Every structure is written in structure tokens, then in C-alpha cells.
């Protein structure tokens, strides 16, 4: 029979077993972290009707979308978790209770050009709080505190959450007479870090007819060392601006109450977030040792989550972690903690008798105690079986020969230390459990 | 602005929050159960190159497949987790260690005709053990023992695992001179339960020229009350048959060693599993109180997992649970245990002071202890906030007014019993933790 060469599509992450365990451990930690803050898990279809998913229309992502027909139906794969959330909330509004706090960790699809570290199928890990008509400002401070706790729990040490407020920017543009060009200026400012202040000034003056003096004042203000003090000088002239400065102050104040240390967040007036729908606080998070990676967690406050589906005003605030990309970067930089157990089993039982009943009974006893146990009953040499345990990094092996069966004992070998004891099943179970508990600990990321 | 009516495609399950928690709890339990047996988690792309995914070609499922192009690439969504496993093992063969034991819980896609309880996007939960060249028979007994443990852990009480062996059937066909029609006869026998013995006899005699006497002997044997004894009478005439009977006896013997009670499994010679690639033990699992549901967990032994991708012989054994359908049936039959906590938070904090710092500090303390905590800081009446906790079924509320803040205390209300105490933060935390621990327990399914 002629064979088809197996392959995985480029841009689609597929991990080897040990890496998969590390990835799953990060997902599990995110789930636990989000749950501590009272977010409910959500799962929505990967496929939606195109007219529903693309109700907003246009946008840069449209040509990246996986869109196709099945029968007469025009379908699309979701490209983020926000649009499905908007649909979900609008559709199930009557059965939900607000504020509605949900987390969702799932795959999304974007047909980007294939290049190293760019994925077409990737996990996003989102949290959002949605209000019905109104949503208190405290949520805008709680969200970055969740980012802080989550990244810290993952083991990330050198990161900084950058915070800004779109009303501050909008108010500034008002004061500087730039209101007409708000979107263009925002989009230009978003490139500040990438292209530098000179180039930004050039675009503002050349393309959007901003005066050189105004561009200069704007950039000076945005890149000052003490932004809150600098903003103070402009208050009292624009309602929008004053409101933004008030919100920013409140968020900073509550962030401290939430226990976020000063070196893990900063007000950065250059953070704009290109997306149109942010209306208040916006966030980006950078790994301070790896600024080239860009933002690993972004989001913000919006006033109308579901405006394409409903007249109801549903303001919210949320953030999204690009988990697949983050994992790729961590692996690439050698930041994954390879000391944590990645073996699928805690113990490998090697029966050395013809009849396997005793080995099976032993395996059942260990599993009942919660020890992850694998029986190795294949017809292989003893040495090969030990090498199997070694390759899989299984921490313990149990040998069960005629002698052990007769004496109602087992021989337990700690494959990390090489120590070997012959003891009762109960003693073996306790020894494994205690040793694993002692060796446990450590975070998925090491820096 | 004109609104797009939000909708979710038919055949795509989308759960409300409390149901989602119940679904996730089942998934979590499956993951834990599979892990106890030393299976490693796997995640593969939902999209594969069509030529790779459909290398086997033909088949009933082909027209159900979601297939489309993006750019020049012919893509398909996976329709099961077995083909991606075959691809994975063939592709990464050099980096895997055998026996390779993996579990995978993920969505698959089949464009079936929409009808109640039929899904186009659904979760499968699979386990497989893959050997390199050979695989011991003990694996064929361990797999149904995992099914038993898993369903029992879920809370299912009335189920039975039906076991057969394809070699027994193949050998019987040899003995009865039916070898030419093996596939046809197998496919016909698969319908036995649905259409009854008379109709099966009719198909065998009319369509496949089986003599009435042979059809009669076959059906008598397959439906006998003591199949192992009935098989004994035919031994010594066919190598294949004897091998099959030997395997079946071994599996039954080890199943008892694995602790599977007699009333949870039976040898059922009518189980054929239509798929061509099973070669040894085959399984089906039925809910004995709901036989109309059909098999909720099926699988078996195969000799060549990846024959379309590699010349290597990779025998394996595995099973698959159709999780979305099972969940739908359980919900439909009222078998989901609604007594288990589905609230996203254990406690709702209601600050009654202007400054929220104390409430935030309290929330942080509770979260640090592992209590899932939500702050309710919206501008709502006290009664509305309590009604929010009630609707969400959050078990505890904490009131934090000026009096409490001054006295460095909190008022804790148990929303299940109505009891209210004013105490220190530490006492409140311990009270919540202890009460929740006492109330925990119970399985996701109640029968």
C-alpha cells in the first residue's frame, strides 16, 4: 500500500507529550486563578454563522478568517473570543445574571502568513466582566490585579502592566484640537514604541496636518516620567479629560489596595490599543527582560460589547492572553521549568511473574490512593523496561517477582536517587506519595 | 444601527453557565481518571490537510466532513480523534516511547442532519494504548476496567460493558463457511439489537446466501445465555477461533483482577463494531436503564493504527466516549446532579462604604486562602445584591459596613441556612472553608 506522508499544517502547534503536560499545567493554573476571582467558565462553538460572526464587518482580520460553506450555510471559524462572547450575552441575555463574569480558554483561527512564532490556530485565555447598563470603575482595577496574580502564579517575575485611559487621550486630543483625527492619531501613537517619536511626529504632521508644535507638546506629555503630575496641569478644561484622569487615579489607587506592587504596573500614556471599541482604561503587559515579544496580555474597558446584536447597553472590561504565542516564547527563551514532573505516571509496575493478577491488584491499590500508575506487561527485557521509565521520566518503579508475591511485599525503586527498598504495598504507597509531595512545588515558568 | 439577530448554529452545543460548570466537572473527572492510569494528555489541531486526514479515503463519514480551502490549501476539520492520533504517532514516532498511552478530550466535527440530540460539533474523550510491533493482551482488559472506574466515579450506577472478540466471530464464520461474507455478516449482526433475529436471519439468507440452518446455528450461539460455555464446544477446529476464545477468557479473568464487578460486564457475542479495523477485543457500554441511548463508550483492539502513513506495525487498543451526546442524554433524563455547587464564586462581598479599600483587602485575603471570591461594587440596592447571590447560588455573602470596618470585623451570612455572624476575617475564612468542605462530595451524575 502506498503511504501518505504524515504532516501537521504549518502555523498549527502540536506538542510532544512532555511539552503538552507543561502547556496543560499553564492552562490549569489560569483556570484556577480566574476561578478565584469568581469567573464562570464558558465554551462556545468554534464555528459560527458568518453573518453573525462578521456582523461588525470590515476590519483588518476579515481576510484572515477561515470562511467556507457547508450545504447552504456560510460559516466562519472564530478569530477571537470576544465576538462569540458578545453573541452569547445578547442571545442568552434573559438567562444571565449581571454583572456577568466569564473566563474562556479556547482555540481561535487566523490565516496569517506563516512565519516563526506566528500561529494560525492558537489559544486565547480571556476574562471579561459585563455589566447591564453600567459597570463600576473598580472592575477596571481588579482586572490588572488578576493579571498580576496570574502571571506571578505562573512564575513570571519580570513583567510590567502598562495602564492608560482612552478618555485621557480623547480629552487631550480635544484640548489640542485633534478631535477630528482621533482614530488616525491613536493608530499612529500605537506605533510609537516600534517606530520612535521622530517618525510618529512626521506622520502626525505630514499625513494628518497636525502642527509641529502640537505634535511636539503631545509627544512630550505622553512620554514624561511622571504622567499623573503632567496630566494634572491640563485639568479643568475638558469634561472628558477630567473624567479620564479621575478614572486613572482611581484605578491606580485601587491597584495598590489589590496588592499589586509598584514595580509591576505603571501609567503609560502612549498605550492606545488600536481597537475602536475601547472607551476607558486600557492595558498592555510586557516582559521587561524581553520587550521584543510585545504585549503578552492586553485589553481594556468598552461601553458596548454587543452593539451589533442588541440595543441594550452592555459595558464591560476584559483582557486576553495569547497563550500559544506566550508558550512558544517561553519555550524559545528557555523559560519553561523543566524540573516539574512531566511523566504521565508516578510509578511503573514491572511484573516478573507469568500471572499478572498480583500486579493488577497492586496497580488498583495505588490508583485508589491517587497515585498515577502504569503497568508494564509487554514482553520486553527488564533493562528495556527500566529504560522506558527513564525515557518517560517516571519517578518510581516497582518490581514484583515470585519472591515479593510470596512474601506479600513489593520492591520499590526511586529512579531519581537510585534507592531501592522491599516493603509492604502500604509502605510503598506512602513512600511514593510523601516523596512526590516533598518534590512538588515550583512554577511552570522559571526566569 | 440595524442589529443582526444573534444565534448559535443548530447542532452546536452552547451551555448556560451552571450547565457549563457541570460539563467541565465531568471533563475534569475524566482527565483525573485517565491520568491515574498513566495516560498522557494530547492536543492536536482541529484542522488537518485533507489528503492527510482522508488518507484512508471513502467511508460513510466522508460526506459529513467539513472540508474547505484557504488559499491553495485543501483543509478538513477532524471528524474523530483516532485519525489525528495515527498521524501524530506516525509523524513523531522517533520522539515517542512505546507503549504510548495518551488521552485526548476534544471537539470533532460531523455535518450530520440536524435532529434532537445529534451534534455537528461534539466532544470525544478517547484513550488509546499503542504498541510498537506488539501489545500485550492485558491492555485489552485494562481498558474496560478504566471505563468501569470512570463511569463509577461520574456517579453512573446502571451500566454494563459488553465485550466480544473479533477473532471469535471471524473463527466462527470460518467454521460455518461464511468467511467470504465476513464484512457483510458483521455489518448485519451489528443491527441485531435494532432489527431483531428474524430480520437478521432474513438478510443473511436472502442477501448473502447463508443457508437457513447456518444462520439459525449462528444466531443461537450468539444469543446464548452462557457464551463462554457455548464457545467451548467449537474449539479445536480453527486456529483463529481458538485464539479468540483464549483472548476472551484472559480478558474476563483479568477484568476480575482489575476489580470490575460481575454485574458491570458481560461477554456478548453479538457485539461486532462495524468498523473494519478492529481485530481483537471489542467493547460497547450501555446504560441498562436507558438501552434506547445505545452505546455510550465503544472501542476495541486494532492491529494497524497508522497503516496509511507508515509501514511500521502499530497495534493498539482504545475507547471513545461521545461526551457531548452523553451530557445531553443525562440532562434530558434528569440525571445530572444539580445539588453540586455551580456558582462561580464561594462568597460575594458586599461593601457598604464609599471607600472600597477594606473590601478589596478582604477579597484578597480570601482569595489567598483559595476561596473563590467576588466583589459586588455595582451601584445597586442591598436587596438587589442579595438577589444576585441568590440567582447565582453563591453560598455565602459578606457585608462590610462602617461598623464592621471600625471593629475590624465582617458580617458573614450563610445563604443556605440563613445564619448570620459577625466575626474576624480569619474566622469567616475558616467558617466558609469548613462549611464548603462539609457540603462537598457527591458525583456529577445522580441516578
Amino acid at each position: 500500500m502506498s503511504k501518505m506522508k504524515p504532516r501537521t499544517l504549518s502555523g498549527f502547534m502540536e506538542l510532544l507529550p512532555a511539552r503538552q503536560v507543561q502547556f496543560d499545567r499553564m492552562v490549569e493554573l489560569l483556570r484556577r486563578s480566574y476561578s478565584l476571582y469568581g469567573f464562570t467558565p464558558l465554551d462556545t462553538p468554534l464555528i459560527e454563522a458568518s453573518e453573525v460572526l462578521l456582523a461588525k464587518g470590515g476590519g483588518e482580520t476579515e481576510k484572515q478568517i477561515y470562511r467556507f460553506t457547508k450545504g447552504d450555510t456560510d460559516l466562519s471559524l472564530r478569530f477571537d473570543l470576544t465576538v462569540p462572547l458578545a453573541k452569547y450575552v445578547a442571545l442568552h441575555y434573559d438567562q444571565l445574571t449581571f454583572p456577568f463574569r466569564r473566563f474562556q480558554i479556547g482555540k481561535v483561527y487566523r490565516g496569517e502568513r506563516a512565519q516563526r512564532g506566528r500561529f494560525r490556530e492558537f489559544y486565547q485565555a480571556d476574562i471579561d466582566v459585563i455589566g447591564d447598563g453600567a459597570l463600576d470603575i473598580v472592575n477596571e482595577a481588579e482586572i490588572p490585579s488578576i493579571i498580576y496574580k496570574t502571571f506571578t502564579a505562573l512564575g513570571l517575575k519580570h513583567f510590567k502592566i502598562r495602564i492608560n485611559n482612552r478618555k485621557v487621550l480623547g480629552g487631550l486630543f480635544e484640548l489640542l484640537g485633534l478631535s477630528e483625527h482621533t482614530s488616525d492619531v491613536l493608530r499612529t501613537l500605537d506605533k510609537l514604541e516600534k517606530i520612535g517619536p521622530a517618525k510618529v511626529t512626521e506622520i502626525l504632521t505630514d499625513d494628518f496636518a497636525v502642527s509641529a508644535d502640537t505634535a511636539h507638546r503631545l509627544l512630550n506629555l505622553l512620554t514624561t516620567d511622571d504622567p499623573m503630575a503632567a496630566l494634572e496641569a491640563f485639568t479643568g478644561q475638558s469634561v472628558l479629560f477630567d473624567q479620564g484622569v479621575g478614572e486613572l487615579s482611581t484605578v491606580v489607587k485601587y491597584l495598590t489596595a489589590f496588592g499589586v506592587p509598584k514595580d509591576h504596573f505603571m501609567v503609560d500614556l502612549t498605550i492606545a490599543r488600536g481597537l475602536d471599541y475601547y472607551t476607558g482604561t486600557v492595558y498592555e503587559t510586557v516582559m521587561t527582560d524581553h520587550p521584543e515579544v510585545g504585549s503578552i496580555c492586553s485589553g481594556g474597558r468598552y461601553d458596548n460589547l454587543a452593539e451589533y446584536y442588541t440595543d441594550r447597553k452592555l459595558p464591560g472590561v476584559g483582557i486576553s492572553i495569547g497563550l500559544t504565542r506566550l508558550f512558544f516564547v517561553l519555550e524559545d527563551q528557555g523559560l519553561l521549568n523543566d524540573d516539574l514532573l512531566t511523566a504521565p505516571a508516578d510509578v511503573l509496575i514491572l511484573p516478573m511473574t507469568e500471572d499478572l493478577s498480583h500486579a493488577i491488584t497492586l496497580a488498583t491499590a495505588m490508583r485508589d490512593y491517587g497515585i498515577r500508575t502504569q503497568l508494564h506487561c509487554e514482553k520486553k527485557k527488564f533493562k528495556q523496561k527500566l529504560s522506558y521509565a527513564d525515557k518517560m521520566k517516571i519517578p518510581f518503579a516497582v518490581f514484583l517477582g515470585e519472591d515479593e508475591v510470596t512474601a506479600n511485599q513489593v520492591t520499590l525503586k526511586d529512579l531519581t536517587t537510585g534507592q531501592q527498598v522491599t516493603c509492604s504495598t502500604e509502605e510503598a504507597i506512602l513512600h511514593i506519595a510523601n516523596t512526590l509531595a516533598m518534590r512538588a512545588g515550583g512554577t511552570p515558568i522559571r526566569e
Side-chain angles (χ1 to χ4, degrees), chain A:
Chain A
M1 192 168 79
S2 81
K3 307 293 174 189
M4 169 62 58
K5 194 171 146 52
R7 70 177 200 277
T8 298
L9 294 163
S10 85
F12 288 69
M13 184 180 269
E14 186 171 78
L15 298 169
L16 286 169
R19 283 277 179 256
Q20 187 68 55
V21 169
Q22 293 179 315
F23 186 86
D24 286 10
R25 189 176 279 139
M26 282 182 58
V27 169
E28 181 49 34
L29 200 145
L30 288 181
R31 290 183 68 93
R32 244 193 349 255
S33 183
Y34 293 164
S35 295
L36 276 180
Y37 288 80
F39 289 82
T40 199
L42 195 65
D43 183 22
T44 62
L46 278 111
I47 308 178
E48 301 274 2
S50 296
E51 56 173 358
V52 174
L53 198 71
L54 308 175
K56 190 177 178 177
E60 271 182 64
T61 46
E62 183 143 356
K63 55 181 172 302
Q64 298 180 351
I65 287 166
Y66 286 86
R67 183 173 180 170
F68 53 95
T69 53
K70 175 85 183 161
D72 298 331
T73 322
D74 181 357
L75 303 170
S76 290
L77 300 187
R78 66 186 182 199
F79 53 90
D80 70 7
L81 300 176
T82 305
V83 179
L85 172 66
K87 182 216 73 176
Y88 183 90
V89 172
L91 180 59
H92 303 292
Y93 173 86
D94 290 334
Q95 293 148 290
L96 299 177
T97 316
F98 294 87
F100 175 60
R101 298 160 74 91
R102 83 86 177 83
F103 75 86
Q104 183 164 9
I105 302 174
K107 286 178 169 177
V108 304
Y109 295 83
R110 292 186 199 173
E112 299 209 51
R113 212 137 44 102
Q115 63 187 82
R116 196 164 178 285
R118 280 277 163 203
F119 294 93
R120 290 168 172 170
E121 176 184 72
F122 55 99
Y123 278 93
Q124 287 193 331
D126 283 22
I127 48 175
D128 285 89
V129 183
I130 314 297
D132 186 7
L135 190 69
D136 196 85
I137 182 78
V138 73
N139 295 288
E140 287 165 62
E142 191 177 43
I143 290 282
S145 82
I146 303 172
I147 302 174
Y148 163 70
K149 283 280 187 181
T150 303
F151 281 137
T152 302
L154 283 172
L156 214 57
K157 286 182 192 72
H158 304 101
F159 66 92
K160 191 161 266 181
I161 305 164
R162 295 176 177 179
I163 298 173
N164 194 10
N165 190 299
R166 287 286 280 262
K167 289 178 187 141
V168 170
L169 289 181
L172 263 185
F173 298 165
E174 246 180 65
L175 295 177
L176 297 171
L178 298 173
S179 294
E180 268 177 74
H181 304 298
T182 299
S183 307
D184 297 324
V185 176
L186 276 179
R187 215 169 303 120
T188 311
L189 289 180
D190 246 358
K191 297 176 192 154
L192 189 55
E193 198 155 21
K194 208 182 260 174
I195 64 179
K199 187 78 189 149
V200 164
T201 306
E202 192 185 312
I203 297 177
L204 289 178
T205 50
D206 291 3
D207 297 2
F208 307 122
V210 175
S211 77
D213 175 58
T214 301
H216 192 67
R217 284 176 65 200
L218 181 63
L219 281 171
N220 264 357
L221 175 62
L222 297 190
T223 55
T224 172
D225 281 343
D226 188 355
M228 293 311 291
L231 291 175
E232 207 52 50
F234 288 81
T235 52
Q237 305 170 67
S238 150
V239 174
L240 183 66
F241 180 81
D242 290 0
Q243 199 187 340
V245 173
E247 290 182 5
L248 204 48
S249 310
T250 306
V251 167
V252 167
K253 173 182 132 191
Y254 284 144
L255 261 178
T256 308
F258 273 115
V260 183
K262 285 256 179 289
D263 56 334
H264 279 296
F265 74 92
M266 67 182 284
V267 171
D268 181 341
L269 300 178
T270 70
I271 302 296
R273 305 299 309 151
L275 293 168
D276 285 338
Y277 74 111
Y278 291 121
T279 53
T281 311
V282 286
Y283 320 100
E284 285 187 9
T285 311
V286 289
M287 294 166 68
T288 42
D289 290 349
H290 298 282
E292 74 282 3
V293 169
S295 178
I296 54 172
C297 176
S298 313
R301 153 89 189 202
Y302 41 87
D303 279 342
N304 265 313
L305 171 71
E307 61 179 322
Y308 299 95
Y309 306 122
T310 173
D311 284 323
R312 291 182 197 282
K313 202 183 159 214
L314 299 168
V317 58
I319 48 120
S320 178
I321 299 176
L323 201 54
T324 300
R325 179 135 187 288
L326 177 61
F327 189 80
F328 172 84
V329 168
L330 292 171
E331 182 184 26
D332 204 43
Q333 303 281 350
L335 298 179
L336 292 176
N337 183 358
D338 288 328
D339 293 338
L340 298 183
L341 205 58
T342 55
D346 301 320
V347 60
L348 186 71
I349 298 181
L350 281 64
M352 293 176 293
T353 55
E354 187 65 28
D355 184 74
L356 299 172
S357 304
H358 280 93
I360 291 172
T361 305
L362 175 63
T364 304
M366 292 188 149
R367 287 160 179 163
D368 284 348
Y369 195 87
I371 292 173
R372 301 175 308 145
T373 306
Q374 182 184 340
L375 282 163
H376 197 320
C377 306
E378 305 309 310
K379 280 155 204 69
K380 303 255 178 174
K381 296 209 179 76
F382 182 73
K383 221 175 149 182
Q384 286 178 303
K385 291 190 182 186
L386 268 190
S387 145
Y388 177 87
D390 194 48
K391 277 187 199 153
M392 307 275 278
K393 298 189 179 168
I394 298 174
F396 288 94
V398 162
F399 315 130
L400 205 58
E402 294 294 353
D403 288 356
E404 280 91 353
V405 169
T406 309
N408 202 18
Q409 293 202 303
V410 303
T411 297
L412 174 68
K413 182 167 185 170
D414 184 327
L415 298 173
T416 312
T417 64
Q419 280 186 318
Q420 188 168 314
V421 293
T422 299
C423 59
S424 72
T425 298
E426 293 67 34
E427 286 168 327
I429 287 174
L430 286 178
H431 183 75
I432 294 171
N434 290 340
T435 308
L436 291 178
M438 262 167 40
R439 287 185 200 155
T443 55
I445 302 172
R446 67 156 160 244
E447 276 195 274

